[in-house]
Amino acid sequence: MSLEITFLGTGAAFPSPARGASALVLRREGQCWLFDCGEGTQTQLMRSHLRAARITKIFITHLHGDHFFGLPGLLCTLSLQSNADASKAPIDIYGPLGLRSFLWRSLELSHSQLLFPITVHELVPTRDQCPAEEFKDFSGLDGGEALPQGPPGRVLHLDPGEDSYLLVEDEQLVVRAFRLFHRVPSFGFVLEEKPRPGKLDVQKLKDLG
């Protein structure tokens, strides 16, 4: 399994002419996984050797603007560059509770319609992930208001046994989120490659001594 990391932005708080806000891409076997999407990420993608159309998963660490304000714009640009295809697999987006409502309202208020599906998987934080005075409970966001056109997705709770959140698992790797302490609930992401069986013919080696 080949993995390649490209840093699109490493700046903090706001982008500058020479340094973008937080964003990096992990390229894995033709797919691109985007981690954070600060303002200007799509411009940085255009300057890179990467193809934005290859993005299949997006992971947002926390809901500070310099880490996710670029997301609605990027999704809209991807939509403008794509064709309507109901059979296309959705882009999976992972991030803290509240992200689904932010995306739905951003797209709704700007009259933006995506030509591809997205699914938003929200991580429910624990109260010890940030100072008590900064913690906001977004579990009742929208007050039960129906979101008829809101993106579907899962609500993920901490697995106390693993002390993490299971996000993705396939034949080659497992992706988990773990809690970080910051001014707002934040998450880190771990990609763990599964053991790969060797290609040696053990029996033939034994037969040959």
Side-chain angles (χ1 to χ4, degrees):
M1 181 173 62
S2 62
L3 298 174
E4 176 186 289
I5 292 178
T6 301
F7 291 91
L8 298 177
T10 57
F14 55 86
S16 70
R19 193 174 187 184
S22 182
L24 70 84
V25 170
L26 173 74
R27 190 163 65 170
R28 177 202 176 205
E29 300 184 347
Q31 297 183 20
C32 289
W33 293 3
L34 176 64
F35 291 81
D36 278 342
C37 188
E39 182 184 351
T41 294
Q42 57 180 313
T43 304
Q44 294 295 89
L45 276 166
M46 294 173 191
R47 292 172 176 163
S48 74
H49 64 286
L50 302 168
R51 290 182 56 195
R54 295 287 181 98
I55 294 174
T56 59
K57 298 186 187 301
I58 300 172
F59 301 84
I60 302 298
T61 57
H62 62 292
L63 301 184
H64 272 156
D66 55 328
H67 289 257
F68 81 117
F69 276 172
L71 185 52
L74 173 64
L75 293 175
C76 289
T77 296
L78 291 176
S79 182
L80 289 172
Q81 296 174 346
S82 64
N83 298 314
D85 184 0
S87 64
K88 183 177 180 180
I91 293 180
D92 287 300
I93 304 173
Y94 302 85
L97 195 66
L99 183 58
R100 178 181 290 110
S101 182
F102 168 80
L103 280 175
W104 176 70
R105 293 196 178 280
S106 297
L107 297 172
E108 184 77 4
L109 289 170
S110 61
H111 297 261
S112 302
Q113 294 183 343
L114 302 181
L115 296 181
F116 53 83
I118 62 173
T119 55
V120 180
H121 309 287
E122 294 183 300
L123 311 180
V124 179
T126 58
R127 290 183 175 271
D128 57 352
Q129 282 183 248
C130 68
E133 64 274 14
E134 295 283 354
F135 186 88
K136 294 183 180 179
D137 184 359
F138 291 131
S139 59
L141 205 60
D142 301 314
E145 174 187 352
L147 303 181
Q149 298 177 13
R154 297 173 291 159
V155 176
L156 304 171
H157 293 268
L158 180 73
D159 180 343
E162 297 287 343
D163 197 27
S164 63
Y165 304 73
L166 177 62
L167 307 184
V168 180
E169 183 170 12
D170 60 26
E171 300 80 11
Q172 294 182 317
L173 57 74
V174 176
V175 182
R176 295 182 181 273
F178 60 93
R179 296 171 297 165
L180 297 174
F181 188 85
H182 189 35
R183 288 198 300 113
V184 297
S186 304
F187 299 90
F189 302 100
V190 172
L191 284 73
E192 182 179 357
E193 188 175 4
K194 290 183 176 180
R196 290 179 290 175
K199 296 181 180 180
L200 292 177
D201 186 334
V202 177
Q203 187 57 48
K204 187 171 184 179
L205 290 172
K206 290 181 178 179
D207 294 343
L208 293 173

